[in-house]
Amino acid sequence: MVKVSVILPVYGVAEYIEKCAQSLLDQTLQEMEFIFVDDHGPDNSIELVQKMIADHPRKQQFVFLKPEHNLGAGMARTYAIPRAQGEYIAFVDSDDWIEPDMFELLYNEAKRQGGVDLCCCQILKDFTDGQPSEVVKNPDIPSGIMSAETKKYFLTHYVSLFSTFIYKRQMIVENEIHFPESRSADDSFFITSALVFANSMSRVDRPLYHYILRPGSVTTTKDSIKYQKRLATFSSLMSYLKSKGVYEANKDEIDFIYLKKGYLSSVFNYIHNSLEPRKAIIEEIRNEMMQYVPDYKRNPYFRKNTSLRLLDWMIHNCTWLALKIIPIYIKKTNQVV
């Protein structure tokens, strides 16, 4: 029986993929499969992995898929999900690496708690420019069945570290949880959806995943229209959750996620990535938010969040000030946009 299936999209990571693949080969959990999706990259990343495992005892655990054309990381993961055989599914980026006991610890903890829907660990942000590594944690909540209040708390406090989780495959398949076609914030789409549908979860209180922040990666490359892709992602998220009949039960929390990760992050992204940000574009982003969350000022989480209310006021009433303050805020808080 395959206990954990790990899905890895691969595109242009020849410099890093061998370290990633070695960390998979070193996993202490034996009943695994590793699904590499060749996303039509410009280098020999896949060949490097195939050479590494040619004579390795775990060779049969490696699966290589190749779609007809480039899909982008999110859709490449969605492409691989139906092929996964594991009781749980996990995702690793092919330029990151993991501790050797990551999946054994996560799987055993998930089973110890009765086979929970989700189990997560902490993450280490490793910077290639010499900055010290930074530990990032998801909220500390009780293990086991999630109460309504626990779920609300996690939804409004989680960080988008979808690769630190293992997900019960049955939950993903039954609810058609997927990554969106838009190529931005697809991790937020997936983890939000999983959290909404999950009934139980647990955690391992250790940093087991190394998230490498390097020049040229998707998260650090400037893109002046990336905000449009982000808005499309959160539009899709709202439509998906409404179509599944789970939006109303979690309306306040989902709306707050949209306000933070859809609306505000899109404004930040646009200002950060544009040489000459225009007031009209910022108004366009805010107008789209108003279509999805017209009653946002009554949202209890928004009302309690002084920083969010102040930023929204500046964006709406004093755009010129927002254009000056937001770049400073981004730099001070070390946000990735």
Side-chain angles (χ1 to χ4, degrees):
M1 180 189 78
V2 178
K3 293 179 177 178
V4 179
S5 298
V6 183
I7 294 172
L8 306 92
V10 178
Y11 182 90
V13 288
E15 185 178 351
Y16 309 95
I17 199 167
E18 289 176 297
K19 184 168 185 176
C20 176
Q22 188 62 53
S23 72
L24 302 178
L25 290 169
D26 291 341
Q27 288 300 296
T28 55
L29 184 66
Q30 294 303 308
E31 302 89 342
M32 299 187 69
E33 66 174 356
F34 309 104
I35 305 174
F36 286 75
V37 184
D38 181 354
D39 204 21
H40 298 265
D43 60 24
N44 63 336
S45 296
I46 292 292
E47 288 79 5
L48 289 172
V49 176
Q50 291 172 334
K51 183 178 179 181
M52 284 183 68
I53 67 169
D55 299 313
H56 199 281
R58 302 189 82 153
K59 178 181 178 179
Q60 298 305 317
Q61 295 180 344
F62 282 68
V63 178
F64 298 93
L65 305 178
K66 189 169 185 175
E68 292 183 2
H69 54 83
N70 173 264
L71 298 174
M75 287 297 289
R77 298 183 190 107
T78 297
Y79 178 82
I81 287 173
R83 173 60 177 78
Q85 301 297 309
E87 183 181 357
Y88 286 86
I89 290 177
F91 303 97
V92 171
D93 285 343
S94 50
D95 53 355
D96 296 335
W97 63 280
I98 57 178
E99 293 293 328
D101 54 354
M102 174 171 171
F103 289 119
E104 182 175 20
L105 289 172
L106 288 175
Y107 180 82
N108 287 346
E109 173 62 16
K111 298 299 285 186
R112 190 175 72 85
Q113 296 296 336
V116 292
D117 293 329
L118 303 171
C119 188
C120 70
C121 62
Q122 301 170 11
I123 199 168
L124 268 170
K125 285 186 176 180
D126 292 341
F127 299 89
T128 59
D129 62 0
Q131 294 184 59
S133 295
E134 174 187 343
V135 177
V136 182
K137 302 181 181 181
N138 269 307
D140 184 1
I141 64 171
S143 295
I145 301 298
M146 284 194 288
S147 66
E149 289 307 310
T150 297
K151 180 175 288 194
K152 290 176 186 294
Y153 181 80
F154 205 97
L155 278 168
T156 52
H157 290 81
Y158 82 89
V159 287
S160 296
L161 303 175
F162 78 105
S163 52
T164 62
F165 286 78
I166 59 172
Y167 308 81
K168 185 171 280 187
R169 180 169 61 90
Q170 182 180 357
M171 177 192 70
I172 292 176
V173 172
E174 287 182 353
N175 296 294
E176 300 176 297
I177 301 174
H178 61 285
F179 292 85
E181 293 184 13
S182 49
R183 301 188 182 197
S184 178
D186 46 27
D187 55 342
S188 292
F189 183 108
F190 190 91
I191 188 60
T192 300
S193 301
L195 287 168
V196 168
F197 284 107
N199 294 313
S200 57
M201 72 172 294
S202 186
R203 58 196 288 275
V204 174
D205 195 21
R206 275 183 52 192
L208 300 171
Y209 188 103
H210 292 262
Y211 172 44
I212 312 302
L213 285 165
R214 58 184 175 83
S217 67
V218 172
T219 54
T220 58
T221 302
K222 289 197 173 190
D223 181 350
S224 62
I225 62 168
K226 189 176 180 181
Y227 79 94
Q228 296 176 349
K229 302 171 188 176
R230 177 173 284 270
L231 288 175
T233 292
F234 285 92
S235 170
S236 297
L237 176 65
M238 300 291 265
S239 298
Y240 165 71
L241 295 176
K242 288 176 181 179
S243 73
K244 291 294 183 180
V246 294
Y247 170 75
E248 289 300 329
N250 304 275
K251 180 182 186 304
D252 286 340
E253 294 72 40
I254 294 167
D255 285 353
F256 185 61
I257 289 169
Y258 185 100
L259 289 170
K260 286 196 308 178
K261 298 179 180 290
Y263 161 53
L264 195 60
S265 289
S266 293
V267 172
F268 281 20
N269 189 278
Y270 171 68
I271 292 175
H272 178 73
N273 288 308
S274 300
L275 294 176
E276 296 182 5
R278 294 166 48 209
K279 179 179 178 180
I281 299 296
I282 295 173
E283 290 176 346
E284 174 189 310
I285 295 170
R286 193 174 189 280
N287 289 338
E288 180 154 340
M289 178 272 288
M290 290 296 293
Q291 294 179 36
Y292 288 98
V293 197
D295 57 347
Y296 77 97
K297 289 187 178 180
R298 294 189 295 179
N299 184 282
Y301 305 106
F302 175 81
R303 293 173 66 178
K304 293 177 185 177
N305 193 310
T306 303
S307 296
L308 185 55
R309 287 191 288 109
L310 179 59
L311 287 165
D312 174 63
W313 180 87
M314 278 196 300
I315 290 166
H316 184 48
N317 297 291
C318 205
T319 308
W320 67 268
L321 182 59
L323 291 172
K324 292 181 178 296
I325 295 295
I326 286 177
I328 299 171
Y329 182 85
I330 291 170
K331 186 174 182 179
K332 185 177 179 180
T333 57
N334 200 28
Q335 293 201 25
V336 177
V337 289

